[in-house]
Amino acid sequence: MSQQTSGLAIETAGLVKTFGDTRAVDGVDLAVPTGTVYGVLGPNGAGKTTTVKMLATLLRPDAGQAHVFGHDVVREADEVRGRVSLTGQYASVDEDLTGTENLVLLARLLGHGKKNARERAAQLLEAFGLTEAAGKQVKNYSGGMRRRIDIAASILNTPDLLFLDEPTTGLDPRSRNQVWEIVRAVVAQGTTVLLTTQYLDEADQLASRIAVIDRGRVIAEGTKGELKASVGAGSVHLRLRDAEQRTEAADVLRRTLDAHVQPEPDPVALTARLGTAASDDTAAEQAARALGELARAGITVDNFSLGQPSLDEVFLALTGHDTQAPKDEVAA
């Protein structure tokens, strides 16, 4: 690997980490552009956290190479640590201290003087909507507030690269949206963010490029549009009038489109993923043909839409399973 490829915050080749007989990371290659949010998407146990720990110099790779801004994570670990910050899956601040006390303490440890430490703490508390809670012990914060104070602690000194390891796990939708806004603001200030997540909508919302990782390997990489285009021309979403006709409707769609058909949780809903290889027709033409066949079969469609595949469909197509890892997999 070159010392640094221009424009890359992270560059890895063949990165490997094993724990006993478990190969948690199995030859990961990444190229993360500077100034972006780069998503690493995968289920629990896929190897996301282990990869982040190696990049952040917390674990030593067993094989392969990794550079952060041109610095080798093993031979130049101190240089790497001087340019990165990490927010893990669980709050790392002291729950018995107040929000202000946590940030002031950490700022002092990072070299700020007393006055600057308090000013920086107040600035971040205000920016993250925590001013009213500044004097409360963190153990009395909600889950969303804890994640915000955790991220605030990570950027007391603005890092060149911020690792966010599943930052919204367990949060309610409102708190997740608040964290997303913080991530966007951090990137707008020039920081590169590597975001690991098992939430497909989170990757869709934030990441400009996404690496899909499963069982320790990167199985696909690209922009959201590229990943979605890789599994087909689009998806047809149908709502039927009669739930009892769903099985027959699925058979018609498979026969007409030669497509994968997925029943939805709604008993009258179906999604058919359109392919590009089987036909030269456009997605709209394929969908129109399917609707005609459904009508000829006496199946009434109450609602119809045509769109790009979702990241859920991309992940299912690439891995053969959804983002819920098997229960017996080792989390990594």
Side-chain angles (χ1 to χ4, degrees), residues 38-258:
Y38 189 93
V40 178
L41 172 66
N44 285 331
K48 304 185 302 297
T49 296
T50 301
T51 298
V52 165
K53 286 182 176 180
M54 286 189 285
L55 294 173
T57 76
L58 299 178
L59 284 176
R60 188 184 182 96
D62 293 322
Q65 290 182 298
H67 288 83
V68 173
F69 297 110
H71 298 293
D72 186 279
V73 299
V74 176
R75 297 193 306 270
E76 301 173 283
D78 286 344
E79 288 84 350
V80 172
R81 290 169 190 150
R83 300 190 66 175
V84 308
S85 190
L86 168 65
T87 296
Q89 296 179 23
Y90 306 102
S92 58
V93 293
D94 189 326
E95 294 196 341
D96 289 326
L97 298 180
T98 67
T100 294
E101 288 169 343
N102 266 291
L103 295 186
V104 169
L105 172 62
L106 291 170
R108 295 284 283 143
L109 291 172
L110 290 168
H112 291 261
K114 286 184 179 180
K115 180 181 179 182
N116 286 341
R118 297 197 70 84
E119 288 177 350
R120 181 60 173 157
Q123 180 186 43
L124 288 170
L125 288 165
E126 181 178 2
F128 286 18
L130 293 170
T131 301
E132 291 185 5
K136 296 180 181 178
Q137 290 177 303
V138 171
K139 65 184 177 183
N140 295 318
Y141 283 15
S142 68
M145 293 165 67
R146 291 185 188 207
R147 298 311 288 156
R148 280 183 276 157
I149 194 73
D150 224 19
I151 297 173
S154 298
I155 61 171
L156 279 160
N157 284 349
T158 305
D160 294 320
L161 172 62
L162 175 61
F163 295 105
L164 291 178
D165 190 15
E166 301 195 18
T168 63
T169 297
L171 297 187
D172 60 82
R174 180 173 177 272
S175 296
R176 289 178 70 197
N177 284 329
Q178 290 174 335
V179 171
W180 291 353
E181 289 304 314
I182 289 169
V183 173
R184 294 184 182 108
V186 168
V187 175
Q189 296 299 314
T191 295
T192 303
V193 172
L194 187 141
L195 168 79
T196 75
T197 183
Q198 59 180 305
Y199 296 134
L200 297 135
D201 61 330
E202 185 158 86
D204 213 351
Q205 284 281 336
L206 294 176
S208 56
R209 295 190 70 85
I210 300 168
V212 181
I213 187 169
D214 191 39
R215 295 180 171 89
R217 297 182 180 182
V218 175
I219 58 173
E221 198 275 347
T223 66
K224 294 171 283 188
E226 289 168 347
L227 291 175
K228 291 175 180 180
S230 72
V231 301
S235 293
V236 176
H237 305 279
L238 302 173
R239 281 180 56 84
L240 309 175
R241 181 164 299 176
D242 186 352
E244 293 184 0
Q245 292 186 314
R246 187 162 78 163
T247 299
E248 184 183 358
D251 290 339
V252 170
L253 292 172
R254 291 188 190 98
R255 184 174 65 252
T256 305
L257 301 173
D258 190 24

Side-chain angles (χ1 to χ4, degrees), residues 43 212-215 219 313-323:
V212 181
I213 187 169
D214 191 39
R215 295 180 171 89
I219 58 173
E313 293 169 291
V314 171
F315 195 87
L316 181 62
L318 291 171
T319 67
H321 61 83
D322 61 20
T323 52

